[in-house]
Amino acid sequence: MLDVVRLRVLVAVARKGSLTAAAKELHYSQPSVSHHLARLEAETGARLVQRVGRGIRLTEAGRLLAERAAEIIGRLDSAADELAAHVGLRSGRVRLAAFPSALGTFVPRTAKLLSGSHPGLRLELTETEPPESLRLLRSGRVDVAVIFRYDDTAPEDNGIRMIHLLDDPSYLVTSGPAGTLVDHAESSWIAGCDRCRSHLLDLCAKAGFAPRISFTSDDIVAVQALVAAGLGLTLLPGLALRAHRHPGVQVAEVPGSTRHVYAAVYGDPPHPPATEALLAALQESR
């Protein structure tokens, strides 16, 4: 049986990249961290870390075990939180991961609604794009993930249940008259996150050209500033423009380019009461 404390040490070393940083995070001494790793190697019969110069790095076996350990610990922590909420040991928490433009628009309303209806419930927010949000959800490090997907996005993994929140049309963002995609076949383009970039490439391919991508940024403020400066054009969803609209850009809705926004949870209902409360607040605030 693997020791959970030692698994936590391995996960901290993997996340922090050094014994010293892991010890600081765990409030252990460095020799204690080294001792736990040595005992874990003895338990598993595998070499988990190796010295590189004055530092260390995980072996392939160490990385594999660290990934699985992160999932196990996330589930254990979730179970402890759920049980504590049920038996009234403490007020509890609920964890939400969401992409930036959701955090800049309807998620604050969600937080306000949740605080009003459940003042003892602590909401923890993480800003990240959908693929990482879903990894956090599967590993038990968040309870709900607000994600988006396009019609051409690959299906999500089994076990992920999605509750539709809203449809979010896309807009062509330019420094001059927007026109259509084809009008800008020879223009420079600014791409966003991987999922948005893939959608842009697919749209342009359907329009008969491959976009020349000159810049890439997930920052909607920076992207619009680049567009306003005449350095390219981009495709942005409506939520991003609601969160921030540069006065120097023009926009035009792109037909057939809508992303779908969901609240994703892991597994089938019934979900813990805190998760259900968060889902209800998200659906009310969308």
Side-chain angles (χ1 to χ4, degrees):
M1 180 72 69
L2 296 178
D3 186 281
V4 174
V5 172
R6 291 166 192 153
L7 290 178
R8 287 187 186 275
V9 169
L10 180 65
V11 170
V13 170
R15 184 167 57 247
K16 293 297 184 178
S18 77
L19 296 182
T20 302
K24 183 177 181 180
E25 177 181 277
L26 296 168
H27 304 291
Y28 289 174
S29 67
Q30 186 170 324
S32 179
V33 169
S34 298
H35 172 74
H36 281 302
L37 289 177
R39 291 298 303 272
L40 188 57
E41 288 186 328
E43 287 177 354
T44 60
R47 189 180 182 189
L48 304 176
V49 297
Q50 59 185 161
R51 295 207 169 273
V52 180
R54 301 176 67 179
I56 66 162
R57 70 181 177 190
L58 268 61
T59 63
E60 187 62 32
R63 286 192 294 272
L64 175 62
L65 183 57
E67 290 175 3
R68 296 294 179 265
E71 296 177 6
I72 292 166
I73 290 167
R75 291 293 167 198
L76 286 173
D77 289 345
S78 292
D81 284 336
E82 292 166 15
L83 182 60
H86 276 295
V87 302
L89 295 177
R90 53 192 171 90
S91 56
R93 67 171 179 174
V94 64
R95 301 160 298 173
L96 172 67
F99 54 91
S101 56
L103 284 172
T105 50
F106 64 88
V107 169
R109 294 198 301 274
T110 299
K112 184 176 180 179
L113 284 171
L114 195 64
S115 176
S117 57
H118 302 278
L121 188 61
R122 186 173 81 256
L123 175 63
E124 296 181 2
L125 298 175
T126 299
E127 178 186 314
T128 188
E129 297 293 344
E132 177 61 19
S133 290
L134 292 172
R135 282 192 287 271
L136 294 175
L137 183 66
R138 283 191 293 269
S139 67
R141 292 165 63 188
V142 299
D143 304 296
V144 179
V146 172
I147 67 166
F148 65 84
R149 54 178 290 110
Y150 296 96
D151 291 335
D152 51 7
T153 302
E156 311 303 346
D157 294 346
N158 291 334
I160 301 294
R161 177 172 172 263
M162 298 193 296
I163 299 97
H164 181 258
L165 296 178
L166 58 97
D167 292 324
D168 191 17
S170 297
Y171 294 83
L172 190 61
V173 183
T174 63
S175 58
T180 64
L181 289 177
V182 176
D183 295 331
H184 299 283
E186 303 301 322
S187 300
S188 295
W189 287 79
I190 303 165
C193 71
D194 289 344
R195 189 165 285 197
C196 295
R197 182 191 182 103
S198 295
H199 180 62
L200 171 64
L201 293 174
D202 183 69
L203 277 179
C204 292
K206 290 177 180 177
F209 71 96
R212 186 174 79 251
I213 296 175
S214 300
F215 301 97
T216 299
S217 175
D218 294 340
D219 187 330
I220 59 176
V221 176
V223 166
Q224 292 185 56
L226 290 169
V227 172
L231 298 176
L233 69 155
T234 193
L235 196 70
L236 285 178
L239 284 178
L241 292 168
R242 280 170 52 191
H244 172 77
R245 173 72 179 271
H246 193 291
V249 303
Q250 297 188 39
V251 303
E253 186 172 344
V254 179
S257 175
T258 297
R259 68 179 185 177
H260 313 290
V261 180
Y262 297 89
V265 290
Y266 192 81
D268 295 323
H271 303 293
T275 300
E276 292 290 359
L278 176 55
L279 290 172
L282 282 166
Q283 291 175 290
E284 186 175 347
S285 62
R286 59 193 171 179

